[in-house]
Amino acid sequence: MKKIEYEDSFVKVAGLLGGDEYVKVARALLNNENATDEEIASATGLKINIVRRVLYDLFGKSLITGIRVKDPRRGWYVYQWKAQPDQVETFLNSKKRKILHRLKERLKYEKSHTFYHCGTRSCRKRTFEEAMELFFKCPECGNPLSPHDNRRLITALEWKIKQLEEELKGKSQKS
């Protein structure tokens, strides 16, 4: 049987979702199709409850499938798990669309408000309305609030939005 290396996109995504435990389970799934929880635990050296937690999480994200079958030795039902590496692209595109939506909301917010800041890094910036209620004095450090230029942030948001839109557009044209 062919051993799958870490470079596989399914394993990479699993690693990003949950670290080493997810990587071990993902590798075991790719190397042993239709494996049970116990088989995966044995192959990875992880405790069964950890394996099940990882499996349920991956299942919830539609990255694996589970089929309930009757165990011929014991007579009770178990799940056989199978990786769905072809779903990785769909999963990633879904995450990108959510991020794109949030970035657009943030850009809209940044463009529609005037901000004030005291100049202290640990203090947060305030909208004009908030600054007015605070009499243009920072409640955290006591320094006066001055207009804050957010053009660099707006430019960065626009750049990232454009990048994600191009990625998603390129993916949809290939389909």
Side-chain angles (χ1 to χ4, degrees), residues 51-104:
V51 169
R52 286 182 178 141
R53 180 178 45 82
V54 172
L55 289 170
Y56 297 149
D57 188 27
L58 294 174
F59 180 76
K61 291 175 173 49
S62 300
L63 293 170
I64 65 173
T65 59
I67 302 167
R68 196 177 118 177
V69 295
K70 194 168 189 172
D71 186 334
R73 291 181 294 141
R74 299 182 195 147
W76 62 54
Y77 288 97
V78 295
Y79 278 90
Q80 290 182 331
W81 301 97
K82 182 179 178 183
Q84 295 193 106
D86 56 322
Q87 291 300 310
V88 169
E89 186 94 15
T90 305
F91 173 77
L92 291 174
N93 285 340
S94 168
K95 293 293 178 197
K96 286 179 184 178
R97 281 190 290 279
K98 286 179 184 176
I99 291 168
L100 180 60
H101 175 73
R102 287 188 197 132
L103 289 174
K104 285 181 174 181

Side-chain angles (χ1 to χ4, degrees), residues 17-161:
L17 290 172
D20 289 341
E21 294 167 348
Y22 281 61
V23 167
K24 288 177 182 178
V25 171
R27 283 182 181 158
L29 284 167
L30 289 174
N31 290 322
N32 186 7
E33 205 171 279
N34 295 320
T36 64
D37 320 27
E38 291 86 7
E39 291 169 340
I40 295 168
S42 174
T44 60
L46 296 171
K47 291 180 181 178
I48 191 78
N49 60 331
I50 293 172
V51 169
R52 286 182 178 141
R53 180 178 45 82
V54 172
L55 289 170
Y56 297 149
D57 188 27
L58 294 174
F59 180 76
K61 291 175 173 49
S62 300
L63 293 170
I64 65 173
T65 59
I67 302 167
R68 196 177 118 177
V69 295
K70 194 168 189 172
D71 186 334
R73 291 181 294 141
R74 299 182 195 147
W76 62 54
Y77 288 97
V78 295
Y79 278 90
Q80 290 182 331
W81 301 97
K82 182 179 178 183
Q84 295 193 106
D86 56 322
Q87 291 300 310
V88 169
E89 186 94 15
T90 305
F91 173 77
L92 291 174
N93 285 340
S94 168
K95 293 293 178 197
K96 286 179 184 178
R97 281 190 290 279
K98 286 179 184 176
I99 291 168
L100 180 60
H101 175 73
R102 287 188 197 132
L103 289 174
K104 285 181 174 181
E105 290 293 316
R106 178 68 188 268
L107 179 62
K108 184 177 163 185
Y109 178 77
E110 291 291 330
K111 283 183 167 182
S112 65
H113 290 85
T114 302
F115 293 97
Y116 285 77
H117 191 257
C118 63
T120 306
R121 282 185 174 252
S122 60
C123 298
R124 70 178 190 89
K125 66 182 181 181
R126 312 281 176 170
T127 62
F128 173 76
E129 292 79 13
E130 289 173 309
M132 212 167 80
E133 286 176 14
L134 296 167
F135 301 104
F136 295 92
K137 186 174 181 180
C138 180
E140 294 156 17
C141 68
N143 290 336
L145 294 171
S146 304
H148 175 73
D149 183 5
N150 65 343
R151 285 181 291 183
R152 283 182 50 195
L153 177 58
I154 289 172
T155 302
L157 288 168
E158 289 171 337
W159 176 82
K160 191 61 183 174
I161 288 169

